[in-house]
Amino acid sequence: MYNVYLADCLKWLNEQPKNSFHAIITDPPYGLREYSEKELDKLNTGYGGVWRIPPKIGGSKRRPLPRFTTLSPKQIEDIYTFFDEWGELALRVLVPGGHVFIASNPLLLHLVCSALINAGFESRGSIVRLVRTLRGGFRPKLAEQKYSDVCSMPRGCWEPWGLFRKPFNGRLSDNLENWWAGGLRRNPDGTPFTDIIISERTPKRELKIAPHPTLKPQSFMRRLVLASLPLCKGRILDPFCGAGSTLAAAEHLGYESVGVEIVPEYFEMAKKAIPKLAELEVSLWREKIANNVNYKNFIEARNL
């Protein structure tokens, strides 16, 4: 079961009762600018703004992505301020031991980590999503031939997700008993959840269902969702839900979830896309693991 709300997540979170969610899994707009009405208009028209347009450089066709290197010092400061405020609200609505899985990028992860720790979370490391993107690695703009052996920055091959936990008192076993939270669920074959996940780029069939510019693949999101509720009980929140990939993964696994989205276009997209994404058959692990009998039993036991 899931619910999606069209709202400003800060105002919405402030109205929620304490200890009402067991995990937060989200991919926020780190630049804060890119989903403003002005920048979305530029994205839709295909010209200018913070979005990386045109979509083709050096023969490589690219999906539009935010250019975080264009942020000013004031905008970077605003990112910290925003996530410090957001972190305090998120801490309040999570149960003790509840985890936050929050997507980022190598240029801005340190800001969000500092803000959430300042808000009261404890850092539990990072999750490395190994995925070949088209960020970075380009030759100097307008001087590609002259400096053909130079790239402006490394070619991106990974995406960092910060992992944080609301502090709790006592032993983990006691917190699991009282709040169903504090740990991470192991993989269905009994191996530990790992902090490196080999991932695909979002498949075209999923983008056709939900053409959101930063849609994450279900094969990856379902792994995070599965790990987030150690006892397979509780509620998951995505306060920047976009097209609803987190909620779709939760729906597929039979978990209750709530999403909040401020952009009307993406709110409407999520309402249509979530049930369709949830129905997709995807491989979560390499074939020998995906076919593991324990995983099949897990799926069958939950009538998925």
Side-chain angles (χ1 to χ4, degrees):
M1 184 180 74
Y2 63 90
N3 289 293
V4 190
Y5 298 95
L6 178 63
D8 181 320
C9 78
L10 295 182
K11 295 178 181 178
W12 188 90
L13 284 169
N14 197 46
E15 296 170 354
Q16 303 310 303
K18 294 181 180 180
N19 303 328
S20 52
F21 292 95
H22 298 78
I24 293 176
I25 304 175
T26 194
D27 180 10
Y30 278 91
L32 301 182
R33 292 173 55 202
E34 61 264 35
Y35 292 104
S36 66
E37 183 177 352
K38 177 181 177 182
E39 296 297 337
L40 286 175
D41 285 343
K42 292 180 180 179
L43 170 63
N44 292 330
T45 58
Y47 183 79
V50 72
W51 291 89
R52 192 180 61 184
I53 298 169
K56 194 177 251 191
I57 284 184
S60 297
K61 188 175 181 180
R62 308 177 299 169
R63 290 176 58 211
L65 291 168
R67 290 183 294 204
F68 297 111
T69 53
T70 68
L71 299 177
S72 68
K74 177 61 167 60
Q75 290 163 343
I76 291 174
E77 181 182 345
D78 289 343
I79 291 174
Y80 180 90
T81 301
F82 176 85
F83 282 102
D84 186 32
E85 179 183 358
W86 179 85
E88 292 182 2
L89 295 171
L91 191 76
R92 189 179 65 83
V93 302
L94 276 176
V95 301
H99 281 87
V100 173
F101 299 71
I102 187 165
S104 186
N105 66 76
L107 300 179
L108 300 177
L109 179 63
H110 65 289
L111 291 175
V112 181
C113 287
S114 298
L116 294 189
I117 291 172
N118 186 65
F121 281 98
E122 55 185 25
S123 175
R124 303 296 286 177
S126 298
I127 297 169
V128 175
R129 177 189 171 212
L130 291 180
V131 57
R132 184 67 177 270
T133 74
L134 292 178
R135 291 191 181 102
F138 299 108
R139 294 180 174 86
K141 188 176 181 180
L142 304 180
E144 292 88 349
Q145 296 299 321
K146 183 176 182 179
Y147 299 106
S148 61
D149 292 331
V150 177
C151 55
S152 58
M153 62 184 299
R155 174 71 173 267
C157 294
W158 69 293
E159 178 182 72
W161 283 66
L163 184 63
F164 303 89
R165 187 173 70 177
K166 181 174 178 176
F168 62 88
N169 297 320
R171 295 180 178 177
L172 174 57
S173 57
D174 294 331
N175 202 73
L176 288 168
E177 183 72 24
N178 295 328
W179 294 103
W180 309 342
L184 299 170
R185 187 161 187 84
R186 286 175 172 262
N187 297 326
D189 65 351
T191 58
F193 175 75
T194 62
D195 59 4
I196 296 180
I197 298 176
I198 299 174
S199 175
E200 62 183 336
R201 294 170 64 187
T202 307
K204 291 182 180 178
R205 65 171 182 164
E206 295 180 26
L207 288 169
K208 187 176 181 180
I209 294 171
H212 188 281
T214 59
L215 185 73
K216 297 296 186 289
Q218 283 296 291
S219 58
F220 176 72
M221 296 308 299
R222 292 178 188 179
R223 294 192 66 173
L224 297 189
V225 168
L226 180 61
S228 69
L229 300 182
L231 303 185
C232 296
K233 297 189 290 185
R235 290 205 304 165
I236 295 171
L237 172 66
D238 186 346
F240 307 96
C241 78
S245 57
T246 298
L247 277 64
E251 182 71 5
H252 177 81
L253 292 170
Y255 295 158
E256 184 179 356
S257 62
V258 175
V260 183
E261 175 55 45
I262 194 172
V263 180
E265 176 187 353
Y266 298 145
F267 170 73
E268 294 297 331
M269 185 186 296
K271 290 194 298 182
K272 297 176 182 178
I274 291 170
K276 295 179 181 179
L277 291 173
E279 291 175 355
L280 293 177
E281 292 294 330
V282 300
S283 176
L284 301 186
W285 288 273
R286 294 178 182 177
E287 185 176 354
K288 68 176 183 177
I289 299 177
N291 291 332
N292 183 283
V293 66
N294 291 330
Y295 179 70
K296 288 184 176 180
N297 290 342
F298 176 87
I299 295 296
E300 292 172 1
R302 300 187 68 83
N303 297 318
L304 302 178

